[in-house]
Amino acid sequence: MTSYFKSPPFYITVVIMAFVTFMYFNFKDKYVLDYNNPSEIVVKNKWALPRALEEVSGISHVNDNIIACVQDEEGIIFIYNLEKEAVQRSIDFGKQGDYEGIAIVNETAFVVKSEGILFEIKNFKNEDFEVVIHKNFLTDDHDIEGLCYDKTNNRLLLACKENPDHRGNFKSVYAFNLKTKQVGKEPIFKLTYDDPIFDDFEENKDEKLFRTSEISIHPKTEDIYMLDGAIPKILILNKHWEAKELLVLDPDTFQQPEGLSFNANGDMFIANEGGLENANILQVSLEEKKASEKQSGETGNKKKNLDEFIDDPSSQL
Protein backbone atom coordinates (compact mmCIF):
# COMPACT_ATOMS: atom_id res chain seq x y z
CA MET A 1 0.00 0.00 0.00
CA THR A 2 1.27 3.45 -0.89
CA SER A 3 2.28 5.47 2.15
CA TYR A 4 -0.04 8.40 2.93
CA PHE A 5 3.01 10.69 3.10
CA LYS A 6 3.68 9.95 -0.58
CA SER A 7 0.06 10.13 -1.69
CA PRO A 8 -1.70 13.05 -3.50
CA PRO A 9 -3.88 13.95 -0.45
CA PHE A 10 -0.72 14.53 1.60
CA TYR A 11 0.78 16.89 -0.95
CA ILE A 12 -2.54 18.72 -1.33
CA THR A 13 -2.67 19.20 2.44
CA VAL A 14 0.89 20.55 2.50
CA VAL A 15 0.10 23.03 -0.28
CA ILE A 16 -3.04 24.24 1.51
CA MET A 17 -1.18 24.67 4.81
CA ALA A 18 1.61 26.58 3.07
CA PHE A 19 -0.91 28.87 1.38
CA VAL A 20 -2.74 29.57 4.65
CA THR A 21 0.56 30.34 6.39
CA PHE A 22 1.57 32.69 3.59
CA MET A 23 -1.75 34.54 3.72
CA TYR A 24 -1.58 34.82 7.51
CA PHE A 25 1.86 36.39 7.66
CA ASN A 26 1.18 38.70 4.72
CA PHE A 27 -2.22 40.00 5.78
CA LYS A 28 -2.28 39.74 9.55
CA ASP A 29 -2.44 42.95 11.55
CA LYS A 30 0.59 43.15 13.80
CA TYR A 31 -0.45 45.83 16.22
CA VAL A 32 -0.85 45.43 19.95
CA LEU A 33 -2.62 48.06 21.99
CA ASP A 34 -4.50 48.70 25.20
CA TYR A 35 -8.23 48.03 25.15
CA ASN A 36 -8.74 49.72 28.51
CA ASN A 37 -10.20 52.91 27.03
CA PRO A 38 -10.99 55.92 29.22
CA SER A 39 -14.53 55.79 27.83
CA GLU A 40 -17.06 52.99 27.73
CA ILE A 41 -18.51 52.40 24.27
CA VAL A 42 -22.15 51.52 24.88
CA VAL A 43 -24.60 50.30 22.23
CA LYS A 44 -27.99 51.90 22.91
CA ASN A 45 -29.98 50.63 19.90
CA LYS A 46 -29.51 48.29 16.98
CA TRP A 47 -31.18 48.09 13.57
CA ALA A 48 -30.64 45.13 11.24
CA LEU A 49 -30.29 46.26 7.64
CA PRO A 50 -31.82 44.44 4.64
CA ARG A 51 -29.77 42.33 2.27
CA ALA A 52 -29.55 45.20 -0.22
CA LEU A 53 -27.37 47.01 2.34
CA GLU A 54 -25.12 44.09 3.29
CA GLU A 55 -22.19 46.15 2.04
CA VAL A 56 -23.30 49.46 3.52
CA SER A 57 -20.43 51.89 3.05
CA GLY A 58 -21.73 55.26 4.22
CA ILE A 59 -24.56 56.89 6.16
CA SER A 60 -25.79 60.43 6.78
CA HIS A 61 -28.75 61.75 8.76
CA VAL A 62 -31.60 63.38 6.84
CA ASN A 63 -33.35 64.03 10.14
CA ASP A 64 -33.39 62.33 13.54
CA ASN A 65 -35.50 59.40 12.29
CA ILE A 66 -34.27 59.10 8.71
CA ILE A 67 -30.80 57.99 7.59
CA ALA A 68 -29.56 58.01 4.00
CA CYS A 69 -27.35 55.00 3.21
CA VAL A 70 -25.18 53.92 0.30
CA GLN A 71 -23.50 50.61 -0.41
CA ASP A 72 -20.33 50.04 -2.36
CA GLU A 73 -21.67 48.35 -5.47
CA GLU A 74 -24.79 50.23 -6.59
CA GLY A 75 -25.46 53.87 -7.43
CA ILE A 76 -28.48 53.93 -5.14
CA ILE A 77 -29.34 55.96 -2.05
CA PHE A 78 -31.41 53.96 0.42
CA ILE A 79 -33.61 56.06 2.72
CA TYR A 80 -33.84 54.11 5.99
CA ASN A 81 -36.54 54.87 8.57
CA LEU A 82 -35.34 54.11 12.11
CA GLU A 83 -38.87 54.10 13.56
CA LYS A 84 -40.25 51.71 10.95
CA GLU A 85 -36.98 49.74 10.81
CA ALA A 86 -37.19 49.60 7.03
CA VAL A 87 -36.03 51.20 3.80
CA GLN A 88 -38.86 53.54 2.81
CA ARG A 89 -37.45 54.68 -0.52
CA SER A 90 -34.53 54.12 -2.88
CA ILE A 91 -33.01 56.70 -5.22
CA ASP A 92 -31.26 55.30 -8.29
CA PHE A 93 -28.76 58.00 -9.28
CA GLY A 94 -25.86 56.21 -11.01
CA LYS A 95 -24.36 53.11 -12.56
CA GLN A 96 -22.67 50.30 -10.66
CA GLY A 97 -19.44 51.34 -8.97
CA ASP A 98 -17.51 51.62 -5.74
CA TYR A 99 -19.54 54.16 -3.74
CA GLU A 100 -18.03 54.87 -0.35
CA GLY A 101 -19.64 57.85 1.38
CA ILE A 102 -22.68 60.11 1.54
CA ALA A 103 -23.30 63.59 2.95
CA ILE A 104 -26.59 65.46 3.19
CA VAL A 105 -26.47 69.23 2.66
CA ASN A 106 -29.99 70.63 3.04
CA GLU A 107 -31.97 69.34 0.04
CA THR A 108 -28.91 67.93 -1.72
CA ALA A 109 -27.18 64.59 -1.28
CA PHE A 110 -23.52 64.12 -2.20
CA VAL A 111 -22.10 60.65 -2.82
CA VAL A 112 -18.42 59.90 -3.41
CA LYS A 113 -16.79 57.01 -5.27
CA SER A 114 -13.45 55.55 -4.20
CA GLU A 115 -11.66 57.36 -7.04
CA GLY A 116 -12.92 60.71 -5.71
CA ILE A 117 -15.71 61.46 -8.19
CA LEU A 118 -18.56 63.28 -6.45
CA PHE A 119 -22.21 62.89 -7.39
CA GLU A 120 -24.40 65.85 -6.46
CA ILE A 121 -28.04 64.75 -6.28
CA LYS A 122 -30.10 67.94 -6.13
CA ASN A 123 -33.61 67.79 -4.61
CA PHE A 124 -32.98 64.15 -3.73
CA LYS A 125 -36.22 63.96 -1.74
CA ASN A 126 -38.27 64.55 -4.89
CA GLU A 127 -38.93 62.29 -7.85
CA ASP A 128 -37.51 64.86 -10.29
CA PHE A 129 -34.04 65.00 -8.70
CA GLU A 130 -31.07 66.16 -10.77
CA VAL A 131 -27.60 64.57 -10.83
CA VAL A 132 -24.43 66.61 -11.40
CA ILE A 133 -21.05 64.82 -11.54
CA HIS A 134 -17.91 66.52 -10.25
CA LYS A 135 -14.62 65.01 -11.44
CA ASN A 136 -11.27 66.02 -9.95
CA PHE A 137 -7.60 65.04 -9.63
CA LEU A 138 -8.21 62.29 -7.07
CA THR A 139 -7.81 58.67 -8.22
CA ASP A 140 -8.34 55.09 -7.12
CA ASP A 141 -4.90 55.26 -5.51
CA HIS A 142 -6.22 57.76 -2.96
CA ASP A 143 -9.06 55.31 -2.16
CA ILE A 144 -11.57 57.84 -0.80
CA GLU A 145 -13.62 56.12 1.91
CA GLY A 146 -15.03 58.94 4.04
CA LEU A 147 -17.30 61.89 3.23
CA CYS A 148 -19.04 64.42 5.47
CA TYR A 149 -20.49 67.93 5.52
CA ASP A 150 -18.45 70.60 7.27
CA LYS A 151 -21.16 73.21 7.82
CA THR A 152 -18.92 75.77 9.54
CA ASN A 153 -16.58 75.99 6.55
CA ASN A 154 -19.17 75.33 3.81
CA ARG A 155 -17.32 72.34 2.43
CA LEU A 156 -17.25 68.57 2.23
CA LEU A 157 -14.43 66.56 3.76
CA LEU A 158 -13.04 63.61 1.78
CA ALA A 159 -10.92 61.15 3.77
CA CYS A 160 -8.37 58.87 2.09
CA LYS A 161 -7.79 55.28 3.07
CA GLU A 162 -4.46 55.16 1.21
CA ASN A 163 -1.66 57.35 -0.15
CA PRO A 164 -1.29 57.41 -3.94
CA ASP A 165 2.25 55.99 -3.86
CA HIS A 166 1.69 53.88 -0.72
CA ARG A 167 4.58 55.73 0.88
CA GLY A 168 4.82 58.40 3.52
CA ASN A 169 3.72 58.27 7.12
CA PHE A 170 0.30 59.86 6.79
CA LYS A 171 -3.27 59.64 5.47
CA SER A 172 -4.84 62.73 3.90
CA VAL A 173 -8.15 64.57 4.17
CA TYR A 174 -9.15 66.83 1.26
CA ALA A 175 -11.85 69.51 1.06
CA PHE A 176 -14.51 70.09 -1.61
CA ASN A 177 -15.56 73.74 -1.64
CA LEU A 178 -19.35 73.89 -1.92
CA LYS A 179 -19.24 77.36 -3.50
CA THR A 180 -16.64 76.74 -6.20
CA LYS A 181 -17.41 72.99 -6.50
CA GLN A 182 -13.68 72.23 -6.57
CA VAL A 183 -11.43 69.93 -4.52
CA GLY A 184 -8.42 71.73 -3.09
CA LYS A 185 -5.12 70.46 -4.46
CA GLU A 186 -3.49 70.23 -1.04
CA PRO A 187 -4.83 68.17 1.88
CA ILE A 188 -6.34 70.23 4.68
CA PHE A 189 -5.10 67.61 7.16
CA LYS A 190 -2.58 64.79 7.28
CA LEU A 191 -3.01 62.10 9.92
CA THR A 192 0.58 61.10 10.73
CA TYR A 193 1.55 57.73 12.14
CA ASP A 194 3.99 59.30 14.62
CA ASP A 195 1.21 61.22 16.38
CA PRO A 196 1.47 60.45 20.13
CA ILE A 197 -2.13 59.19 20.01
CA PHE A 198 -0.70 56.00 18.44
CA ASP A 199 1.96 55.41 21.10
CA ASP A 200 0.21 52.26 22.36
CA PHE A 201 0.96 50.50 19.09
CA GLU A 202 3.96 48.28 19.74
CA GLU A 203 4.95 47.33 16.21
CA ASN A 204 6.05 49.20 13.10
CA LYS A 205 3.76 52.04 12.15
CA ASP A 206 2.98 51.61 8.48
CA GLU A 207 0.04 52.30 6.18
CA LYS A 208 -2.11 49.72 7.99
CA LEU A 209 -1.97 51.72 11.22
CA PHE A 210 -5.16 53.64 10.44
CA ARG A 211 -7.28 52.89 7.38
CA THR A 212 -10.00 55.50 7.35
CA SER A 213 -13.45 54.18 6.49
CA GLU A 214 -15.47 57.28 7.45
CA ILE A 215 -15.24 60.84 8.71
CA SER A 216 -17.90 62.90 10.49
CA ILE A 217 -18.23 66.08 12.56
CA HIS A 218 -20.05 66.26 15.89
CA PRO A 219 -22.85 68.87 15.53
CA LYS A 220 -22.33 70.38 19.00
CA THR A 221 -18.63 70.09 19.85
CA GLU A 222 -17.36 70.29 16.24
CA ASP A 223 -14.98 67.46 17.09
CA ILE A 224 -13.93 65.41 14.09
CA TYR A 225 -14.47 61.65 14.21
CA MET A 226 -12.46 59.35 11.96
CA LEU A 227 -13.45 55.70 11.77
CA ASP A 228 -11.19 52.74 10.95
CA GLY A 229 -13.08 49.75 9.58
CA ALA A 230 -10.20 47.28 9.31
CA ILE A 231 -9.08 47.23 12.96
CA PRO A 232 -12.23 48.84 14.35
CA LYS A 233 -11.47 52.08 16.16
CA ILE A 234 -12.48 55.74 16.36
CA LEU A 235 -10.05 58.64 16.39
CA ILE A 236 -11.47 61.85 17.86
CA LEU A 237 -9.85 65.18 16.99
CA ASN A 238 -10.85 68.68 18.02
CA LYS A 239 -11.89 71.30 15.46
CA HIS A 240 -8.24 72.31 15.10
CA TRP A 241 -7.39 68.74 14.02
CA GLU A 242 -5.54 67.94 17.25
CA ALA A 243 -5.95 64.32 18.35
CA LYS A 244 -7.90 63.93 21.59
CA GLU A 245 -8.72 60.26 21.99
CA LEU A 246 -8.34 56.89 20.28
CA LEU A 247 -11.08 54.40 21.03
CA VAL A 248 -10.69 50.74 20.10
CA LEU A 249 -13.97 49.04 19.25
CA ASP A 250 -14.92 45.48 20.08
CA PRO A 251 -14.61 43.59 16.75
CA ASP A 252 -17.34 41.19 17.84
CA THR A 253 -19.82 44.09 17.96
CA PHE A 254 -18.33 46.29 15.25
CA GLN A 255 -17.58 43.64 12.63
CA GLN A 256 -16.63 46.14 9.91
CA PRO A 257 -17.66 49.73 10.69
CA GLU A 258 -17.97 51.70 7.45
CA GLY A 259 -20.40 54.54 8.21
CA LEU A 260 -20.68 57.12 11.00
CA SER A 261 -23.20 59.92 11.45
CA PHE A 262 -24.72 62.12 14.17
CA ASN A 263 -28.28 63.27 14.70
CA ALA A 264 -29.04 66.86 15.73
CA ASN A 265 -28.57 66.05 19.43
CA GLY A 266 -25.11 64.61 18.84
CA ASP A 267 -26.11 60.95 19.23
CA MET A 268 -23.68 58.79 17.27
CA PHE A 269 -24.69 56.09 14.79
CA ILE A 270 -22.28 53.56 13.26
CA ALA A 271 -23.09 51.30 10.29
CA ASN A 272 -21.40 47.89 9.97
CA GLU A 273 -21.10 45.80 6.83
CA GLY A 274 -22.46 42.28 6.99
CA GLY A 275 -20.22 39.43 8.08
CA LEU A 276 -20.99 36.76 10.63
CA GLU A 277 -23.99 38.96 11.45
CA ASN A 278 -26.26 40.95 9.16
CA ALA A 279 -25.28 44.50 8.32
CA ASN A 280 -26.58 46.89 10.93
CA ILE A 281 -26.76 50.41 12.30
CA LEU A 282 -25.83 50.87 15.94
CA GLN A 283 -26.67 53.88 18.09
CA VAL A 284 -23.61 54.35 20.30
CA SER A 285 -22.74 56.50 23.30
CA LEU A 286 -19.37 57.19 24.88
CA GLU A 287 -19.62 57.21 28.65
CA GLU A 288 -16.84 58.00 31.09
CA LYS A 289 -15.79 55.07 33.28
CA LYS A 290 -16.44 55.44 36.96
CA ALA A 291 -13.36 56.22 39.03
CA SER A 292 -13.97 53.12 41.14
CA GLU A 293 -13.80 50.94 38.01
CA LYS A 294 -10.52 52.50 36.93
CA GLN A 295 -8.96 51.91 40.34
CA SER A 296 -10.37 48.48 41.11
CA GLY A 297 -9.11 46.99 37.86
CA GLU A 298 -12.42 45.17 37.33
CA THR A 299 -12.13 45.85 33.66
CA GLY A 300 -8.42 44.99 33.77
CA ASN A 301 -5.65 46.10 31.54
CA LYS A 302 -7.02 44.18 28.56
CA LYS A 303 -3.98 44.23 26.37
CA LYS A 304 -4.65 41.97 23.44
CA ASN A 305 -2.78 41.07 20.34
CA LEU A 306 -4.79 42.14 17.32
CA ASP A 307 -3.60 39.04 15.49
CA GLU A 308 -6.71 37.50 17.10
CA PHE A 309 -8.86 39.73 14.94
CA ILE A 310 -7.51 39.04 11.46
CA ASP A 311 -9.59 40.68 8.77
CA ASP A 312 -10.64 39.14 5.53
CA PRO A 313 -7.59 39.95 3.37
CA SER A 314 -9.83 41.34 0.65
CA SER A 315 -11.05 44.08 3.00
CA GLN A 316 -7.51 45.42 3.33
CA LEU A 317 -6.87 45.97 -0.37
Side-chain angles (χ1 to χ4, degrees), residues 186-217:
E186 295 298 322
I188 60 167
F189 173 67
K190 291 182 178 181
L191 175 62
T192 57
Y193 306 154
D194 57 2
D195 191 300
I197 200 73
F198 296 120
D199 281 351
D200 280 343
F201 285 86
E202 295 184 348
E203 300 291 340
N204 294 331
K205 297 177 180 178
D206 60 20
E207 61 184 12
K208 290 184 178 181
L209 180 62
F210 198 95
R211 285 161 285 182
T212 313
S213 62
E214 187 60 287
I215 188 168
S216 191
I217 298 175

Side-chain angles (χ1 to χ4, degrees), residues 20 23-30 208 211 230-232 251 255 305-316:
V20 170
M23 294 295 288
Y24 174 81
F25 283 103
N26 277 275
F27 291 103
K28 73 190 182 80
D29 289 305
K30 304 172 183 179
K208 290 184 178 181
R211 285 161 285 182
I231 304 175
Q255 52 197 1
N305 192 321
L306 290 184
D307 288 351
E308 298 175 22
F309 309 120
I310 302 170
D311 294 326
D312 178 352
S314 64
S315 72
Q316 301 177 18

Side-chain angles (χ1 to χ4, degrees), residues 252-294:
D252 292 331
T253 302
F254 301 89
Q255 52 197 1
Q256 189 171 333
E258 294 286 337
L260 190 155
S261 182
F262 296 95
N263 65 15
N265 292 325
D267 299 322
M268 181 164 56
F269 293 74
I270 293 177
N272 292 281
E273 281 194 6
L276 296 178
E277 292 188 25
N278 291 338
N280 58 52
I281 294 176
L282 304 178
Q283 182 183 349
V284 174
S285 69
L286 308 180
E287 300 177 0
E288 289 297 317
K289 286 186 177 179
K290 298 176 182 178
S292 59
E293 286 184 344
K294 294 178 183 178

Side-chain angles (χ1 to χ4, degrees), residues 8 49 58 61-62 94 99 124 157 168 177 180 196 205 219 223 259 266 269 285:
L49 294 175
H61 275 77
V62 178
Y99 298 93
F124 74 97
L157 302 182
N177 188 306
T180 65
K205 297 177 180 178
D223 285 343
F269 293 74
S285 69

